[in-house]
Amino acid sequence: MSDTLKTTPLNAAHRRLGARMVGFGGYDMPVQYEGVLAEHRWTREHAGLFDVSHMGQAKITGADAIAWFERFVPGDYAVLKAGKQKYSLLLNADGGIMDDLMAGKPDHDGLYVVVNAGNKDADFAHLKANLSGDVTLTLLDDRALLAIQGPEAAEVMAAHEPALAEMGFMDSARLKLFGVDCYVSRSGYTGEDGYEISVPGADAERVWELLLKDARVKPIGLGARDSLRLEAGLPLHGHDIDPTTSPVEGALTFALSKSRKERADFPGAARIARELADGPARVRVGLHVKEGAPAREGAEIADIDGAVIGTVTSGGPSPTLGHNIAMGYVPPSHAALGTELKVIVRGRPAAAEVVAMPFVAQRYYRKPK
């Protein structure tokens, strides 16, 4: 392990389990335990437990907290009800995506925010440098973050706190769980139903081992987390989206609240409005790679005549579908479902087709209305 890598409170637990460790987002993280394919399938069928403590957690409080936070994102948090969270985008002045994040109101005390590990230092530095009014940004570096995902996750968690079964997708709560103060949301990054649980770092190993005592739960590494999120059509920042990518290009316009678009009071609003009206130069699409080896990040995308028109940003085998899939950027003229394209893998063109995302249906739990 490189001396420069940070560790999560669960590092020793991963090593006891025999995890293969790799550097990711500046942290020493488990990429797999028994194997990516087995872990992927277990999460799809049962409940997988992930250590995502490398992510950045913070609270934003104060009388001006919501209005101040909205200066950086295109979501309407003023109308977000207590007990809810929302996906949003930290935008730069040109409307590019500095990071994607989750922000919610698990209690009546401002916002609880989770950002990506590789960006968290830059994100929080950017926010701190622009503090104004009655706002306090508190980094929660002393907390760990666990994610339990899969069709049996709700039953597992309800055994510890029955009220968790009543939460719906994107509900958020602050409650006493496992005997400690926790932030819990019914959300995740796999396309499956599940929860993300923020616990004090000192209690992380105890909670991790308690959850693993349930026969329905197995530890899952970052390898399966990546293949699961790819099947779910979810972008990975720094790969599928980055500071040059707009929400329109990234097919993330659902993160643009209607009221905020009307007010055009967020960074890059002019560019985003122009792209919504006239179309972007490129757009993120899903691809079924019909032959040959998987098309990985960086592979060129060509039209049917062989002219290069775009680039793959994520790709690999889909364990659930049994064939290769990918995401990448192409001009809107080549983005319609069913468009025949080619991907250049190891110098050879392979047939590909634009398909709908998610590749595998998401199974988030939404409460009956």
Side-chain angles (χ1 to χ4, degrees):
M1 185 188 79
S2 168
D3 292 337
T4 62
L5 292 178
K6 301 175 185 177
T7 58
T8 76
L10 293 169
N11 188 269
H14 300 315
R15 293 181 175 277
R16 285 197 301 271
L17 288 167
R20 178 183 158 210
M21 307 295 286
V22 300
F24 182 83
Y27 282 78
D28 187 41
M29 297 295 291
V31 68
Q32 65 180 53
Y33 299 86
E34 60 178 302
V36 173
L37 182 60
E39 293 169 29
H40 181 112
R41 288 176 172 164
W42 185 269
T43 305
R44 287 278 187 239
E45 296 169 4
H46 304 287
L49 185 62
F50 302 77
D51 177 14
V52 289
S53 304
H54 57 318
M55 305 286 277
Q57 303 179 63
K59 279 299 292 279
I60 301 172
T61 55
D64 301 322
I66 304 299
W68 174 81
F69 183 67
E70 286 189 347
R71 289 171 45 193
F72 307 95
V73 300
D76 191 341
Y77 282 88
V79 301
L80 187 68
K81 296 179 180 178
K84 296 289 185 180
Q85 74 171 12
K86 182 183 293 189
Y87 173 86
S88 199
L89 307 165
L90 187 64
L91 300 176
N92 60 28
D94 192 41
I97 302 170
M98 296 173 61
D99 204 358
D100 58 344
L101 55 84
M102 288 287 191
K105 298 177 179 176
D107 51 28
H108 292 276
D109 185 25
L111 291 170
Y112 166 70
V113 181
V114 179
V115 302
N116 284 301
N119 299 330
K120 66 181 180 182
D121 291 343
D123 290 352
F124 293 145
H126 176 67
L127 294 174
K128 284 182 176 180
N130 290 281
L131 283 173
S132 63
D134 181 7
V135 178
T136 300
L137 174 66
T138 304
L139 306 190
L140 304 179
D141 292 332
D142 59 343
R143 299 188 74 84
L145 189 63
L146 311 182
I148 183 167
Q149 302 279 286
E152 294 180 340
E155 292 180 3
V156 170
M157 292 303 296
H160 298 280
E161 173 51 70
L164 295 179
E166 302 304 314
M167 295 178 71
F169 179 57
M170 298 299 264
D171 281 356
S172 178
R174 184 173 186 175
L175 64 143
K176 190 75 74 172
L177 184 62
F178 308 112
V180 293
D181 180 38
C182 293
Y183 297 101
V184 182
S185 65
R186 195 159 187 175
S187 60
Y189 193 50
T190 64
E192 291 289 339
D193 182 25
Y195 302 82
E196 292 195 343
I197 310 138
S198 171
V199 303
D203 296 281
E205 193 168 311
R206 176 179 63 84
V207 173
W208 172 266
E209 292 180 349
L210 179 61
L211 288 169
L212 287 178
K213 286 181 179 179
D214 192 310
R216 296 168 290 189
V217 183
K218 285 188 177 183
I220 310 296
L222 294 179
R225 179 173 162 88
D226 192 57
S227 58
L228 288 160
R229 71 92 193 165
L230 176 60
E231 288 187 342
L234 301 174
L236 176 62
H237 194 274
H239 302 264
D240 306 296
I241 52 176
D242 63 32
T244 71
T245 315
S246 76
V248 184
E249 292 176 325
L252 297 171
T253 53
F254 67 89
L256 307 173
S257 294
K258 181 180 178 181
S259 61
R260 301 299 306 285
K261 286 188 290 184
E262 292 173 349
R263 297 201 300 269
D265 59 352
F266 54 86
R271 171 193 177 183
I272 291 169
R274 184 172 64 252
E275 290 182 351
L276 287 170
D278 302 332
R282 57 177 182 161
V283 66
R284 181 170 63 98
V285 297
L287 298 171
H288 170 196
V289 179
K290 297 181 175 181
E291 58 189 12
R296 305 288 187 180
E297 181 179 3
E300 293 178 326
I301 303 171
D303 65 19
I304 199 67
D305 297 318
V308 174
I309 59 169
T311 306
V312 170
T313 53
S314 286
S318 165
T320 304
L321 299 175
H323 61 244
N324 295 326
I325 58 175
M327 291 192 288
Y329 283 83
V330 299
S333 58
H334 291 75
L337 298 183
T339 301
E340 296 291 337
L341 298 172
K342 297 178 181 179
V343 291
I344 313 303
V345 181
R346 300 172 187 166
R348 296 183 178 182
E353 179 185 348
V354 177
V355 295
M357 294 187 290
F359 300 96
V360 174
Q362 297 166 345
R363 296 197 286 185
Y364 307 129
Y365 173 72
R366 290 178 168 84
K367 293 186 288 188
K369 293 183 179 180

